[in-house]
């Protein structure tokens, strides 16, 4: 199904308003259940244009649905993607306001920074590995501007792949001899173990996610630039985020990344 230009623009504006007002909207697929991935990307591009006009900058890309379990949930056999915006990137140890999000959850993942550009199609995993200069432990705050997370594939794609924010550890050299498939991770909330994972959960190899993004975006004329962040996908099921929470993800060889959550409206 291909939606009209007017429908694409109105849906992008609805998501833009939901983001700015913090009020979720109904799923687009409620009224148009036939909407597909390409329809979602058309809305995403329009929404991104509105945000760029406000002064936002794209500093990388995130991949989602990189695990088999998440692909089964959305009845797809391919990941999705969305831009990473400069205003959403934070350093480890940051405190975010719970009220800045609608229905946030937290995921731990491996994040790369490119040392040189990549443009598909035809980018191999070896070429992607050679282009990666730094690697970081990451916590993604996923958030949905769609009410109650009642999303189908087109809804989450349109909503910038449900990206809310990302928190990053200090970078480490990527090193061609490191097998990121074997990078283990332990994830805690308020000192309670809530998840474990390994790099292989992300498309079998997080570096393969970099190649997939380069090839997928390249087919649309988009280059992954030197300096771009590449978020490679969750290594476990998302964990709900609440005011007062503290999250820590500890990664083999990458160290730890920490996120604190506060509510500016809370009584102190």
């Amino acid at each position: 199904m291909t939606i009209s230009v007017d429908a694409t623009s109105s849906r992008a504006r609805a998501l833009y308003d939901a983001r700015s007002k913090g009020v979720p909207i109904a799923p687009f697929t409620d009224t148009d259940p036939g909407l597909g991935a390409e329809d979602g990307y058309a809305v995403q591009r329009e929404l991104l244009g509105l945000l760029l006009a406000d002064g936002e900058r794209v500093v990388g890309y995130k991949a989602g649905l990189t695990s088999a379990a998440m692909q089964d949930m959305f009845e797809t056999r391919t990941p999705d993607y969305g831009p990473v915006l400069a205003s959403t990137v934070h350093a480890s140890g940051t405190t975010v306001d719970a009220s800045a999000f609608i229905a946030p959850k937290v995921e731990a993942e491996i994040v790369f920074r490119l040392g040189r550009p990549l443009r598909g199609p035809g980018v191999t995993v070896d070429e992607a590995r050679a282009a990666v200069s730094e690697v970081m432990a990451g916590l993604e705050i996923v958030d949905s501007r769609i009410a109650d997370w009642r999303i189908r594939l087109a809804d989450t794609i349109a909503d910038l792949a449900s990206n809310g924010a990302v928190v990053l550890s200090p970078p480490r050299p990527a090193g061609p001899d490191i097998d990121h498939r074997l990078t283990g991770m332990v994830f805690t909330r308020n000192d309670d173990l809530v998840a474990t994972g390994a790099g292989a959960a992300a498309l079998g190899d997080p570096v393969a996610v970099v190649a997939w993004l380069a090839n997928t975006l390249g087919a649309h004329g988009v280059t992954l630039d030197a300096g771009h962040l590449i978020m490679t996908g969750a290594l476990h099921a998302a964990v709900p985020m609440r005011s007062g929470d503290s999250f820590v993800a500890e990664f083999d060889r990458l160290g730890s990344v920490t996120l604190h959550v506060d509510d500016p409206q809370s009584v102190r």
Side-chain angles (χ1 to χ4, degrees):
M1 175 177 185
T2 301
I3 55 179
S4 69
V5 173
D6 286 346
T8 297
S9 296
S10 66
R11 286 171 174 147
R13 175 59 67 175
L15 282 170
Y16 177 88
D17 290 342
R19 293 172 66 90
S20 61
K21 297 174 183 177
V23 179
I25 60 176
F28 300 134
T29 53
D30 274 4
T31 52
D32 284 313
L35 290 178
E38 288 308 312
D39 300 313
Y41 285 121
V43 177
Q44 182 189 113
R45 288 190 292 270
E46 192 84 10
L47 172 59
L48 179 59
L50 295 173
L51 296 170
L52 294 177
D54 285 343
E56 268 291 4
R57 291 186 299 114
V58 174
V59 295
Y61 288 88
K62 67 155 288 186
L65 310 183
T66 55
S67 71
M70 290 303 293
Q71 290 179 11
D72 288 344
M73 183 182 300
F74 284 89
E75 299 179 341
T76 183
R77 280 294 168 262
T78 186
D80 68 349
Y81 68 84
V84 177
L85 303 175
S87 68
T88 69
V89 179
H90 306 275
S92 179
T94 195
T95 297
V96 299
D97 294 332
S99 61
F101 304 94
I102 294 174
K105 302 179 183 182
V106 183
E107 304 172 342
E109 60 190 87
I110 295 170
V111 181
F112 296 119
R113 179 176 281 117
L114 296 183
R116 60 179 189 241
L118 276 178
R119 179 161 182 165
V123 173
T124 67
V125 173
D126 286 342
E127 289 169 337
R129 183 175 292 106
V132 169
S133 62
E134 294 178 331
V135 58
M136 292 151 278
L139 292 174
E140 182 182 7
I141 301 174
V142 291
D143 196 21
S144 183
R145 276 59 62 167
I146 305 297
D148 304 318
W149 280 98
R150 291 188 295 111
I151 52 175
R152 296 184 183 179
L153 183 60
D155 299 307
T156 184
I157 288 173
D159 191 20
L160 304 190
S162 301
N163 182 241
V166 60
V167 181
L168 300 174
S169 72
R172 298 194 178 192
D177 56 335
I178 298 175
D179 188 346
H180 296 287
R181 298 175 301 175
L182 305 180
T183 298
M185 182 278 305
V186 175
F187 187 43
T188 60
R189 178 179 62 191
N190 305 327
D191 297 322
D192 294 326
L193 177 65
V194 290
T196 60
L203 215 60
D205 181 347
V207 179
V209 177
V210 180
W212 177 85
L213 269 170
N215 290 325
T216 301
L217 289 168
H220 296 287
V222 178
T223 299
L224 296 179
D225 292 328
H228 267 167
L229 297 170
I230 306 296
M231 299 170 61
T232 62
L235 305 183
H236 60 91
V239 177
M241 186 184 99
R242 302 173 301 231
S243 178
D245 280 341
S246 287
F247 295 92
V248 180
E250 299 173 88
F251 286 76
D252 293 340
R253 297 185 291 268
L254 304 183
S256 63
V257 57
T258 301
L259 163 66
H260 305 291
V261 188
D262 195 11
D263 186 342
Q265 298 178 353
S266 63
V267 178
R268 302 173 186 241

